Structure formats: C-alpha cells, structure tokens
Amino acid sequence: MTDQTPDKNDAIFSAMLNSSLNGVFVLDANYQVTIWNQRMESFSQIQASQAIGEPLFNLFPTLKGKRIELSIKNAIQHNTASILSQALNRDPFPLLSSKDDGTPIKQTIHIKPIQAKNDVRLCMVQIQDVTPSLRRETILRDIANEAEDAKESAEQLTQVKTDFISTVSHELRTPLTSILGSLGLVCGGVTGELPTQAASLVSLAYKNGQNLLLLINDLLDIDKIESGNMEFNFKNTDVMAVVDEAINRFGGFATAHNVTFKITQHLKTTTINVDAHRLMQVMSNLLSNAAKFSPQDSTVEISTSLNNNKARISVRDHGTGIPENFIPKLFDKFTQSDSSDTRIVGGTGLGLSISKAIIEQHGGDISVESELGEGTTFHVDLPIAAETAPTNNPHL
Amino acid sequence: MKILNDLQQDMLIEAFNLGMGKAAASLSEMVQEEVLLSVPDIVFMNKANAANELSNQSAGNVSGVSQDFSGPFGGEALLLFPVEKSLELVRLLLQNTVPLENLTEFEEEALNEIGNIILNAGLSSLANLFGQEIKTELPYFRQGSCKEMLRVTDESSTTEDVVLLLRVDFKLKKHAVDGYVVFLLDMVSIKSLAESIDQYLSSLSIH
C-alpha cells in the first residue's frame, strides 16, 4: 500500500484489497506500480515496498512483447478493458503458489482502466490463481475420456458378439435344416419301415436336431431384438381370440405332458393391437413352460382380465414353483433354475428373454408370481386399442 | 431501416474489417493457427426484429460475450454464436477433443477472451476512425434465447430501440463458424455515430 496515513476509507479499502484472494496491483500512466496487495507479495515474492514506484516491466521483464503488455498499454492509452484467459495465455506472470510448495500458479488476468480525478489514467490488474480449478477440470476430462473409450470398446464388443451370433446361427441353420428334412422323411417312413433300434435312434436324432434348431432360431431372434431389426406387423384383434388360437395351436404341449389347458376367466370383447405371429411365440413359450413344469394330470389355467387399463393374459401352473432368489433373473438370457426337473424338461434358456422383449415392443409388460410348492403364474399385460386403431403400433 | 447512406455504410464496414484484421492477427498468434475474420455486411435494425433475425439463423439458444462501452456513443456490444457453434469454436481454438456437452469454466473464459478481442477490435476501429475514445468494460459470458440476449421485452419493441448488427465470418483451418456482433445502441448514440462518420468524411472532403 502507499505510505499515506490511512483515514477510515483508506483503512476499509486496504482491508478489502488485502483480503482478496486475487493478486491486485494498480499502475499509473507511466506503468509504475502505485498499489500492490498482500496476495501479489505472496505470489511474486516481491514486497510492496520494493514494487511501489517501480515500472512493472522492470519488475517483470518477461512481460515485454507479450499480449499482457499490449493489454495494459491499451487500458492506459485507450481506456480498453481486457481479459487474459488461462487457456489462451500460458501464465504470463512468473508467480508461485504459497500453498503447493512454490509451484507456478495458473492465471486468469483481468485488466481494467480507471479514470481517477483530474483525468488521471490508471490501470488495475487482477490475477486469479486458477490452479485448483484447472486441476479439477483436468481430472474431469480424463474421466470423460476414459468413459468415452470404455463406451467405444463396449460398443465394438457388442457388435462383434452380435455379428458372431448372427453369422454362426445362419451357418448352422442351413445344414441343420437339411439334416432335419432327411431325418423327418426317414422317420415318416419314406425309406420304408426301420428296425426298432434304428427307428429309436433316428427318432432321437430328429428330436435333438429340432431342439438344436429351436436354439438357433432363438439366438437369431435375440440378435434381431438387440440390433433393433425385429419387424412387427401390428393389427387389431380380440384378446380372447389370441388365447383361443394359442390353446388350439399348442394343445400338443398339454397332450405331451399329460396336462389340461383350461380357460378359467373370459374378458368381454377387448381389442389389442398386436403382431399375431410374435404374440403366438410368447404364448407358445408360456404354455410350453407351464405344461413342462406341471405335475401329470394337473390343469394349466389360462385367464384374461383387466389390469390397470391393460388387457391381461395369465397362465398359471401348479408345479413346484420358482425359488424367490431366482425370480429377478428369470427374464435374463440363458437362465434356467437349478431345480432338478429343468434338466429333464430342457429348453434354450432364451424363451422368456425373447418373450419379454416382444411384449415390451408391444408397449406391454410381462411379470411373474410364484410360490414354492404351489405353482407359478405369468402375466402378460397389453395396451388396449381403440376399435379402429392404426396398424403401426408403437405402443398406441 | 435506413440509418446511414451507402457511403457512410461502406465506411463503417471498412473500419470494422480493419479492426477485425487486427483481431484475427492476435488470435492467430495466440492459437498458432491462421484465423481469418471478416465483416461482410452490417445492418441497422429494430431490436425485436434483430432478435427474430438471429433466431432464424440459429435454432435454439445462443452463447455470447457481452461488453458495455461508453464514450461519444455508448451501449452494449455482444458477440453471439449458436450454442453448439460456440462449443465448436472454442474447442477448435483450444484443440480440446473431449465432447463434453457444455462449455467448461475454462472454455467459457476463453470465449470471453475471444469476444473481448473481437469486440475491442470493433470498437477500437470506430474510435480510431473518428479520433475519439471509447471506454470498454470487462466482458462477461451470457447464454440464452436471442430475445434474452438482446434484452427484448414486450415493452421495448419500439422503433427507438435500434441495434447495429454485423455478421462476422470466423475461419479457422478447414472450419468456418458464423457469429454475430450486435451493438445495442439508443437513438442518441445512433445519431452520434452518424454525426461522427459525417465529421470524418468531411475531414476527407468526401460526400
């Protein structure tokens, strides 16, 4: 500060200046220092008593020829204010931090012209230490970079996986179709009656081939869903028509497992807008699961109702039920309960995952309730359509 | 809106282009890449119309630098870019490749400096031309709709509120970014500006 005896205003001004976290100094029209606050003393290691009265460019010769010199001169000569950002000006003042063991500080500089009494021209320079902020921003950028790299890697991996599944599935399906065709003809007696043992072996091969084909088709469906390439053909239909058609088409599951499919509750005319083929795929999965996991001579109950303004189709079996800790994973891919009977009944482990994706594409939900020893109920909730709904869903 | 005649208008454009040339040289030195700035055209407009014109050029909000000035004519000077263009410009200049969605604190600061250089250049060129001094204040960053940036309110849509609108072409490497400089002037300042141009022309004995 200057060596004048401070009055009250001077005392206040001095207190404000010296409590600033910024380095502040003032130059006169000859670029000589007239004010030099405590923060500048700390940053520069130059005391006010040494700085005041000295030309700034003698104190800091490295400033000459730099933008800071021009900006200061413009302030004095042309009344122009300037800002020197850290990003575009690499710390023109040789200043050190008192906190970080004397490392150079990163600087943002404000230069402001002051017109004092009698047209006296002054220039105030404020230097802000932005080192901590810059450090935080660098960390933020590094994290953002890493996240971007990780996202890119994950996307590439997903694409590789998707391409692999698609290619392999297609390459497997073609010869398998041919194999099944031939085995089917043999099983059907085209080549004449087979010896008992041969017939049994051919039948086993045919059944396993069909299971393999199911798996491949499921893999292809998963691939289509994940890549967004599964196409839907939405049309209006009555919900009971869907249920009747499903029971009619998949009655064979009931016969094969010695159970009965029974409709226990009818919903009056309720229109849903669905892709009939894909919905049959879901019904096939639910009915086949229910039949597989039901005790012999039991009944699989199918009902329709309203649930929160949606049409609900429920499929209930009286099997062993699903352990509670397994339910959250039920709709994940390649997941089957560890209970012993599942190894006998088979399945690809993809059916429920595919069903969930299909129902979600319809704007609906699929959920499950289960109690060990009592059985399991799957609920499919679908939005109700207006009588004259458009053919293109999506989700009405 | 005809405030200046053709000769006065051409004089003003030339003055701005001289100033922009100096600003471009400063920026080129700072970023170690060639930066080209030019002012192809200027137009005086009612403030509300100017806000609409700028809205048509940039869908959505704009980012900008604001700087008050005073002297023989006074007001507020603005450098405006569509938000995504301001991100693009700053990241080109700073060679930042991380695609953060918003300007960071340091990018905002850098944009402030760029705006300060360009606006000071524009105002200095006027001051030099007329041999008068224009005092400028420190710049600050603003973001908002064009109406908000030009401070258009329902009450202020009168012919008295005139702005001087400059399109600034900003070219860096293979990229080109268009921005706008807007001088918000009141009618007293507009008249003063016209008088200053006339005085200058008189001194050159050109009419």
Side-chain angles (χ1 to χ4, degrees):
Chain A
M1 287 296 298
T2 64
D3 59 0
Q4 288 179 339
T5 306
D7 63 11
K8 183 178 168 187
N9 285 342
D10 278 350
I12 293 169
F13 175 70
S14 175
M16 284 171 64
L17 197 62
N18 288 317
S19 62
S20 174
L21 294 176
N22 297 336
V24 180
F25 62 87
V26 175
L27 304 175
D28 64 19
N30 297 317
Y31 312 107
Q32 289 177 329
V33 176
T34 62
I35 291 174
W36 190 262
N37 79 342
Q38 283 179 0
R39 188 64 60 174
M40 271 312 293
E41 290 181 326
S42 168
F43 282 159
S44 67
Q45 302 299 300
I46 299 172
Q47 297 303 300
S49 55
Q50 297 167 282
I52 288 168
E54 282 296 313
L56 179 73
F57 302 115
N58 285 0
L59 291 172
F60 299 110
T62 54
L63 300 183
K64 285 187 188 170
K66 300 267 174 65
R67 197 163 116 65
I68 179 83
E69 184 190 18
L70 181 63
S71 298
I72 287 171
K73 286 185 173 173
N74 278 340
I76 299 260
Q77 293 171 14
H78 301 296
N79 241 340
T80 305
S82 298
I83 177 172
L84 273 69
S85 65
Q86 199 283 325
L88 291 170
N89 304 273
R90 298 297 173 184
D91 316 318
F93 282 88
L95 303 176
L96 305 175
S97 166
S98 56
K99 282 189 288 189
D100 290 324
D101 300 323
T103 50
I105 64 165
K106 303 293 180 186
Q107 302 154 27
T108 290
I109 302 168
H110 289 181
I111 298 165
K112 187 170 160 56
I114 299 173
Q115 195 121 358
K117 278 192 297 192
N118 303 321
D119 281 339
V120 169
R121 289 284 177 100
L122 301 169
C123 167
M124 180 170 75
V125 179
Q126 279 202 76
I127 304 174
Q128 184 186 359
D129 178 5
V130 295
T131 313
S133 301
L134 188 61
R135 202 175 287 143
R136 278 194 297 274
E137 184 164 317
T138 305
I139 292 171
L140 174 69
R141 286 196 181 280
D142 287 345
I143 291 170
N145 261 331
E146 283 172 17
E148 189 67 21
D149 288 344
K151 183 177 162 228
E152 214 173 290
S153 296
E155 281 170 358
Q156 282 173 357
L157 198 59
T158 301
Q159 188 57 46
V160 164
K161 184 204 77 179
T162 301
D163 290 345
F164 175 76
I165 290 173
S166 179
T167 304
V168 168
S169 301
H170 277 293
E171 295 301 316
L172 286 174
R173 194 161 69 168
T174 308
L176 186 58
T177 307
S178 174
I179 291 167
L180 283 172
S182 304
L183 287 174
L185 288 170
V186 172
C187 282
V190 161
T191 57
E193 198 172 332
L194 292 175
T196 311
Q197 205 174 11
S200 172
L201 289 171
V202 169
S203 176
L204 183 65
Y206 183 61
K207 197 186 290 184
N208 280 306
Q210 283 179 318
N211 286 339
L212 195 54
L213 186 64
L214 276 175
L215 174 61
I216 292 168
N217 284 338
D218 280 353
L219 284 172
L220 285 171
D221 274 348
I222 285 283
D223 174 55
K224 275 188 214 165
I225 286 165
E226 287 184 350
S227 60
N229 288 329
M230 182 171 272
E231 290 177 359
F232 291 85
N233 184 16
F234 293 101
K235 285 199 173 106
N236 275 6
T237 189
D238 182 66
V239 66
M240 282 312 301
V242 168
V243 171
D244 289 338
E245 171 67 19
I247 290 174
N248 197 35
R249 205 189 284 193
F250 306 122
F253 291 142
T255 310
H257 293 281
N258 239 344
V259 299
T260 308
F261 287 158
K262 184 180 176 187
I263 298 176
T264 56
Q265 192 173 317
H266 293 74
L267 192 58
K268 66 176 183 183
T269 306
T270 305
T271 307
I272 51 179
N273 190 251
V274 297
D275 179 313
H277 169 67
R278 292 295 173 192
L279 195 54
M280 280 302 118
Q281 194 174 347
V282 173
M283 293 306 297
S284 165
N285 179 245
L286 296 182
L287 289 174
S288 71
N289 281 345
K292 279 182 214 171
F293 292 105
S294 288
Q296 297 210 11
D297 299 320
S298 67
T299 303
V300 171
E301 295 160 17
I302 300 109
S303 61
T304 52
S305 58
L306 281 179
N307 180 56
N308 288 334
N309 294 323
K310 286 191 174 165
R312 169 168 278 194
I313 302 171
S314 304
V315 177
R316 185 183 176 196
D317 68 66
H318 297 277
T320 54
I322 302 168
E324 197 179 327
N325 63 340
F326 191 76
I327 288 178
K329 297 183 283 186
L330 202 60
F331 295 99
D332 292 348
K333 287 182 283 195
F334 300 114
T335 304
Q336 286 178 321
S337 171
D338 285 333
S339 50
S340 57
D341 56 348
T342 62
R343 294 195 184 275
I344 302 166
V345 300
T348 63
L350 290 171
L352 284 174
S353 175
I354 292 170
S355 295
K356 181 171 183 287
I358 288 171
I359 295 303
E360 283 173 355
Q361 289 293 315
H362 282 72
D365 303 295
I366 187 167
S367 56
V368 63
E369 291 168 0
S370 187
E371 203 174 325
L372 285 175
E374 294 292 324
T376 302
T377 306
F378 281 89
H379 301 294
V380 170
D381 295 320
L382 293 162
I384 295 170
E387 289 301 313
T388 54
T391 58
N392 194 20
N393 200 297
H395 310 168
L396 307 173
Chain B
M1 182 176 272
K2 195 78 174 164
I3 301 282
L4 303 177
N5 61 35
D6 290 344
L7 184 60
Q8 290 169 325
Q9 185 123 328
D10 286 346
M11 182 64 57
L12 207 50
I13 292 175
E14 193 171 319
F16 281 128
N17 273 306
L18 274 171
M20 288 303 147
K22 291 180 186 169
S26 289
L27 289 170
S28 298
E29 198 183 320
M30 281 158 67
V31 301
Q32 299 294 300
E33 292 285 347
E34 190 183 33
V35 176
L36 297 171
L37 288 171
S38 63
V39 177
D41 201 9
I42 65 172
V43 62
F44 286 90
M45 233 183 227
N46 166 273
K47 195 157 74 167
N49 290 343
N52 289 336
E53 171 72 21
L54 291 173
S55 293
N56 291 340
Q57 302 296 328
S58 56
N61 282 352
V62 290
S63 294
V65 177
S66 175
Q67 196 165 290
D68 292 333
F69 63 93
S70 58
F73 36 89
E76 183 182 358
L78 296 159
L79 173 67
L80 301 176
F81 295 98
V83 169
E84 67 280 1
K85 291 292 178 186
S86 68
L87 290 173
E88 188 184 326
L89 177 66
V90 168
R91 279 167 193 165
L92 279 172
L93 288 171
L94 302 185
Q95 295 169 24
N96 279 341
T97 54
V98 175
L100 297 172
E101 282 181 11
N102 299 303
L103 282 177
T104 66
E105 185 185 332
F106 287 93
E107 287 170 333
E108 240 179 63
E109 200 182 78
L111 189 62
N112 261 349
E113 184 172 358
I114 293 162
N116 177 233
I117 290 169
I118 291 173
L119 294 174
N120 275 351
L123 289 165
S124 294
S125 57
L126 287 177
N128 289 340
L129 191 62
F130 308 131
Q132 295 170 337
E133 194 170 79
I134 297 175
K135 181 177 187 227
T136 65
E137 300 298 331
L138 285 165
Y140 55 98
F141 179 80
R142 289 176 62 201
Q143 193 167 313
S145 68
C146 293
K147 274 179 107 171
E148 286 163 351
M149 296 297 273
L150 266 55
R151 306 189 195 277
V152 173
T153 60
D154 289 335
E155 297 82 33
S156 72
S157 308
T158 69
T159 53
E160 294 293 309
D161 294 315
V162 174
V163 305
L164 173 56
L165 189 66
L166 288 66
R167 200 184 86 221
V168 179
D169 290 342
F170 203 116
K171 288 192 173 67
L172 177 73
K173 294 182 211 180
K174 294 174 190 169
H175 294 85
V177 179
D178 285 347
Y180 287 87
V181 168
V182 183
F183 292 104
L184 301 179
L185 304 164
D186 56 30
M187 279 314 288
V188 172
S189 293
I190 296 276
K191 282 177 187 155
S192 185
L193 174 64
E195 280 164 11
S196 295
I197 296 176
D198 272 344
Q199 277 170 17
Y200 178 73
L201 288 170
S202 292
S203 72
L204 300 176
S205 302
I206 297 170
H207 284 281

